[in-house]
Amino acid sequence: MKSNVESKNNQTNQKESDKMTLTEKMQHLQIQSQIALQHDPIVKNLNEHSQDVGYFMEMNGELTRGHFVYESEEFSSSNTVKSRQIFITKDGRFLCFSTTKEIYFCQKCNEEHYKLHRNISEKQYFSLRELFVVYNTLSRKLNQKPLFNNPPKLNE
């Protein structure tokens, strides 16, 4: 059972959160994600069959680390999927990628494999829908209240 102090703290935090702008809420989530989320090296190129892997690197020579938060499919055919992916980095920045995943059947292994190619997107900003989805995804991952139960579909 919660004490009165805990209950009042939760109510005060909720009121403060309700008064925050969307930008302030997103900044709050970015800060929390630096501590709470696992940030793995972001793969640049991957050939699943041969285990060839390339990673994105920072200017200081360290691996770029991030946590995957969003993907929207832009194109799909029988063996190729092109999408836009968004990661939040270890330092709280968002990185957007144009990603191509090529699926192929390996005669030698008798199973499907894929090649993954990620490029840093020229579009490093969010559409309004992406903003809502990224906010909700981070909120849920950080066990906080989402902004929307279902983000609205927008014609942009």
Side-chain angles (χ1 to χ4, degrees), residues 27-45:
Q27 289 171 345
H28 182 68
L29 289 174
Q30 286 174 271
I31 292 167
Q32 288 181 321
S33 74
Q34 292 174 307
I35 301 162
L37 298 178
Q38 180 176 335
H39 298 89
D40 298 318
I42 300 176
V43 173
K44 184 175 188 175
N45 297 306

Side-chain angles (χ1 to χ4, degrees), residues 5-152:
V5 174
E6 286 179 33
S7 182
K8 285 183 181 182
N9 276 341
N10 289 339
Q11 290 172 355
T12 302
N13 289 340
Q14 184 60 43
K15 285 179 185 175
E16 287 174 8
S17 176
D18 290 344
K19 291 178 185 177
M20 293 170 72
T21 66
L22 182 58
T23 302
E24 292 169 333
K25 289 179 181 181
M26 184 63 93
Q27 289 171 345
H28 182 68
L29 289 174
Q30 286 174 271
I31 292 167
Q32 288 181 321
S33 74
Q34 292 174 307
I35 301 162
L37 298 178
Q38 180 176 335
H39 298 89
D40 298 318
I42 300 176
V43 173
K44 184 175 188 175
N45 297 306
L46 170 69
N47 184 340
E48 185 186 50
H49 186 269
S50 67
Q51 301 297 316
D52 288 339
V53 182
Y55 296 97
F56 285 97
M57 304 293 283
E58 297 290 338
M59 296 298 278
N60 63 7
E62 291 184 17
L63 292 172
T64 302
R65 295 181 169 278
H67 187 88
F68 175 78
V69 291
Y70 177 77
E71 180 173 33
S72 69
E73 192 174 292
E74 295 175 345
F75 169 82
S76 181
S77 70
S78 59
N79 63 342
T80 303
V81 176
K82 292 188 179 195
S83 62
R84 175 171 159 83
Q85 296 180 333
I86 300 174
F87 286 74
I88 188 162
T89 64
K90 191 171 132 181
D91 61 0
R93 294 177 293 130
F94 289 103
L95 274 179
C96 303
F97 296 95
S98 298
T99 304
T100 303
K101 185 176 184 178
E102 299 173 43
I103 301 165
Y104 64 95
F105 187 80
C106 178
Q107 300 290 338
K108 190 165 47 170
C109 299
N110 203 28
E111 61 183 61
E112 279 189 352
H113 297 291
Y114 67 89
K115 293 180 184 177
L116 181 76
H117 306 282
R118 265 190 200 113
N119 294 310
I120 295 176
S121 175
E122 290 179 20
K123 180 183 166 190
Q124 286 296 313
Y125 54 89
F126 299 156
S127 68
L128 193 53
R129 174 154 175 79
E130 287 173 333
L131 177 67
F132 292 151
V133 173
V134 166
Y135 179 92
N136 278 354
T137 301
L138 283 176
S139 294
R140 286 186 178 108
K141 288 183 179 206
L142 297 168
N143 297 318
Q144 295 186 9
K145 181 182 172 188
L147 189 61
F148 296 104
N149 287 332
N150 289 314

